[in-house]
Amino acid sequence: GPSFLATYDCLQHLDLGAYSLGDTGMVALCDAMVANNVNLDGFYIDRNHLGSGSAKAIAKLIQKTHKAIKEVNMSYNYLSAANASELLHATASRMEYSRPDVPELFLHLGHQRDISLWKGMGVSREHDNRIVHDMLALVTKQKESSVNTQIVVDWLPQNMAVCLRSVPVSTHGDC
């Protein structure tokens, strides 16, 4: 992995937007960050031709970093609804997001390049909201925790920003 990562223990924001990293580059970068215990507040990787492999690598990063990430921008890529669900599962598995002293995760997934990867989306705002909430309900059921969200929706997946906080099933705080 990139050895320069080991020297940046205070790296807070990494903006690699529009670098055309692709899945291979993103997987290598995320593996290096996990191996070197790099903790980020913000990771901005929009416009990088990212797909399923990158979603898996980012999910692993969300789960394995020592400090919970505050923001990930994956807009303008090639992510699917299944990839979004995988990222939601990773977030739900981090119980740190349920603590009041840990900020929620802002996950930006808007303007994905291939709308066909979001089957059933774009019908109406209400319909799109229902699909997103069904995704969250599935995460809740499978993880025995709740994912409380604030969602900015404007014809998903064209504009999607999700504020995620994993909370115990018995409590429902605001994001």
Side-chain angles (χ1 to χ4, degrees), residues 90-110:
T91 304
S93 72
R94 290 291 303 250
M95 290 309 296
E96 292 97 319
Y97 289 118
S98 67
R99 294 186 1 223
D101 61 319
V102 176
E104 61 275 354
L105 169 63
F106 282 93
L107 178 62
H108 302 271
L109 299 173

Side-chain angles (χ1 to χ4, degrees), residues 1 3 5 8 23 44-45 47 50 52 97 105 110-111 116 120 138 147 164 166 168 170 175:
S3 60
L5 289 174
Y8 288 99
D23 283 344
Y44 310 99
I45 48 177
R47 294 174 175 89
L50 306 179
S52 182
Y97 289 118
L105 169 63
H111 302 279
S116 70
L138 182 60
V147 178
L164 303 169
S166 179
S170 60
C175 192

Side-chain angles (χ1 to χ4, degrees), residues 44-60:
Y44 310 99
I45 48 177
D46 54 296
R47 294 174 175 89
N48 270 295
H49 306 285
L50 306 179
S52 182
S54 296
K56 290 180 187 336
I58 298 300
K60 180 180 173 184

Side-chain angles (χ1 to χ4, degrees), residues 79-84 112 114-124 127-132 134-135 156-158:
L79 302 175
S80 68
N83 299 145
Q112 294 304 310
D114 188 352
I115 191 119
S116 70
L117 298 173
W118 292 77
K119 188 176 180 178
M121 299 295 266
V123 174
S124 71
H127 179 75
D128 294 350
N129 273 327
R130 197 167 34 255
I131 289 174
V132 171
D134 287 350
M135 261 196 261
L156 292 172
Q158 289 83 3

